[in-house]
Amino acid sequence: MTIRSRAVQIQQPGGPEQMQLVEVAVGEPGPGEIRIRHKAIGLNFIDVYQRSGVYALPLPLQLGMEASGIVEAVGEGVTHLKVGDRAAYASQPPGAYCEVRVMPAKCVCRLPDGIDFETGAAMMLKGLTVQYLLNKVRPVEGLQPGDHVLFHAAAGGVGLIACQWARALGLQLIGTAGSDAKCELARANGAAHAINYNKEDFVARVKEITGGKGVKVVYDSVGKDTWDKSLDCLRPFGLMASFGNASGPVPPFAPAVLAAKGSLYVTRQTLFTHLATRESTQAMADDLFARVLGGQVKIHIAQRYPLEQVQQAHRDLEARKTTGSTILTL
Ligand SMILES: NC(=O)c1ccc[n+]([C@@H]2O[C@H](COP(=O)([O-])OP(=O)(O)OC[C@H]3O[C@@H](n4cnc5c(N)ncnc54)[C@H](OP(=O)(O)O)[C@@H]3O)[C@@H](O)[C@H]2O)c1
C-alpha cells in the first residue's frame, strides 16, 4: 500500500520562499521505526537554521523536528509503542512538517492522556531542552534554590517554559526579551526579573539585581549579539551555557578571555546528545510530562498556522514577532 503525504521540502538552503509543499510517498516502517500520522507539528528555531543553511544538511530536505500524532504502523523490534498509541516527539532526522511519516521510534514517546495533541506538538523539543538545561547543565558550584540564573529570549518557546520550570525549582530566573510586552509575559510566567535588552544594558541590570555578584550560569540561545555581554554577567567560576544562535553564530574566541573574566566555564549543548538513547529520552520526557500534568509548566501556544502557511510562520519567528510556542496545523 502506498500512502501519500503532503510535506514541506527545500531543494536548496535560503529564505522562507525555499519551502515548498510537495507530495511524497510514505512506505512501511523498517526495524526500529514507526509510521506516525500527525495531529499537530511544532515550529522551532532549529528549523530556521536547517532551512537557511546555518546547519548544513543533505538536500533535498524535508524540514521539522517536533510533532504529535497517532502511531499507524510499528516496525520490527519496537516494543514501547503499538498501533493506535497517541505519541509525540522531538527527533532527528528532520521531516516532521508533513501529514504522515516513517521515522526512528527511539525518540517517540507515548503521550499521556491528560496532554492534548497540540500541546504535545508544542512542548517536546522545547520542554526537553529546558529539562536538560536546568537539570544537567549546571555550574560547578551547583544551583541552590534562591540562586539567580540569566536566561535570554525568555518570552520565546523555550523561554516561557524555562521561566516556569526555574520557578518550580526555586531559582530566580532573570529573563531578557526584546520588548516591554515580552518582559511582562516572562514575568507573568515566573521570571523573577525581566530585562528589555533592546533598551536596557543587561550587564548593568544583572549586576544591580545580584548585588554586584553576577550569576552562576547564563543560558544563551541568542548567540552572536549577547555572547560578550553574557560573559560579563557571570561570577567567578560561572558557566556560559550556549545553546543557540538566533542572532547568528558565536564568532571564534580566545580561551584566555575566560581566565580574565574569572576562570569561567563554557559549554555548547544540543538536545540530541541528551536524547541519544531510548532510556534517556523517556526519563527526560517523564519529567517533562510530570511538570505539565502537575500544572507547574503550562505550554503557551500563541500562534497557529496551517501547514500551507509555513513560509509565513518562519517569517514571523525570524522577525521576533512570536511568543511562546507555535504550531503548524493539519
Ligand atoms: N541546543 C539545543 O538543544 C536547543 C534546543 C531547542 C532550542 N534551541 C535554541 O533555543 C532558542 C529558542 O528556540 P525557540 O524555538 O523557542 O525560539 P524562540 O525563542 O521562540 O524565538 C527566538 C527568539 O530569539 C530572540 N532573538 C534575539 N535575537 C534575534 C534575532 N536576531 N533574530 C531572531 N530572533 C532573535 C527573539 O526574542 P526577543 O525578541 O525577545 O529577543 C526571538 O523571539 C533558539 O536559538 C534555538 O535554536 C537550542
Side-chain angles (χ1 to χ4, degrees):
M1 182 175 61
T2 307
I3 293 172
R4 311 290 298 176
S5 173
R6 290 183 306 150
V8 174
Q9 274 190 1
I10 58 165
Q11 297 295 327
Q12 57 183 43
E17 71 287 351
Q18 294 298 332
M19 293 184 290
Q20 297 298 331
L21 204 52
V22 298
E23 218 181 75
V24 295
V26 182
E28 295 300 320
E33 293 182 333
I34 58 154
R35 191 171 67 232
I36 183 166
R37 187 165 290 273
H38 290 153
K39 291 285 192 182
I41 301 158
L43 182 76
N44 289 284
F45 219 90
I46 191 171
D47 307 343
V48 172
Y49 306 141
Q50 294 179 346
R51 188 211 72 218
S52 63
V54 171
Y55 297 167
L57 290 167
L59 297 165
L61 176 66
Q62 189 170 313
L63 292 169
M65 306 288 282
E66 181 184 44
S68 66
I70 294 181
V71 177
E72 207 176 63
V74 175
E76 192 189 316
V78 176
T79 53
H80 69 286
L81 293 168
K82 60 181 190 316
V83 172
D85 277 350
R86 303 169 73 254
Y89 65 85
S91 178
Q92 290 173 322
Y97 287 5
C98 66
E99 293 161 320
V100 55
R101 72 183 290 202
V102 168
M103 64 179 297
K106 187 185 73 180
C107 292
V108 183
C109 297
R110 285 186 59 224
L111 193 60
D113 288 342
I115 301 178
D116 62 58
F117 285 115
E118 289 200 339
T119 303
M123 73 180 215
M124 291 299 280
L125 199 145
K126 301 160 197 73
L128 292 174
T129 299
V130 175
Q131 199 283 339
Y132 85 75
L133 286 174
L134 295 184
N135 291 292
K136 296 183 193 154
V137 185
R138 291 191 156 209
V140 283
E141 292 181 345
L143 284 177
Q144 281 79 44
D147 278 348
H148 289 102
V149 303
L150 179 60
F151 206 106
H152 290 306
V158 173
L160 283 189
I161 296 174
C163 290
Q164 299 173 75
W165 205 317
R167 176 176 58 188
L169 294 173
L171 299 170
Q172 300 277 307
L173 183 144
I174 305 170
T176 59
S179 71
D180 291 346
K182 287 184 178 185
C183 286
E184 190 50 49
L185 188 61
R187 275 190 292 266
N189 280 274
H193 306 271
I195 305 167
N196 178 346
Y197 51 11
N198 282 338
K199 67 176 196 194
E200 291 178 274
D201 175 354
F202 72 79
V203 181
R205 287 279 286 117
V206 166
K207 289 285 164 61
E208 184 187 306
I209 291 165
T210 59
K213 288 183 176 167
V215 292
K216 285 181 174 175
V217 55
V218 180
Y219 297 105
D220 189 341
S221 66
V222 173
K224 182 173 67 65
D225 287 356
T226 45
W227 177 264
D228 286 333
K229 286 185 168 182
S230 292
L231 294 179
D232 291 333
C233 292
L234 287 163
R235 64 174 67 184
F237 306 111
L239 173 64
M240 177 67 182
S242 169
F243 69 103
N245 19 257
S247 66
V250 176
F253 68 96
V257 167
L258 304 176
K261 292 185 187 287
S263 301
L264 303 179
Y265 293 78
V266 171
T267 183
R268 174 61 166 91
Q269 297 274 318
T270 171
L271 171 64
F272 298 102
T273 318
H274 296 269
L275 300 184
T277 67
R278 164 99 279 281
E279 292 69 28
S280 63
T281 303
Q282 193 61 53
M284 290 169 66
D286 286 346
D287 192 14
L288 172 62
F289 294 152
R291 295 283 177 189
V292 171
L293 290 168
Q296 290 154 327
V297 172
K298 291 196 170 61
I299 306 300
H300 294 266
I301 303 174
Q303 301 77 213
R304 289 177 173 81
Y305 302 82
L307 183 61
E308 49 270 29
Q309 287 175 22
V310 66
Q311 293 187 359
Q312 191 58 44
H314 273 228
R315 282 191 194 100
D316 290 350
L317 182 62
E318 288 180 271
R320 306 164 79 160
K321 287 184 180 165
T322 65
T323 57
S325 295
T326 301
I327 59 164
L328 302 172
T329 57
L330 291 163

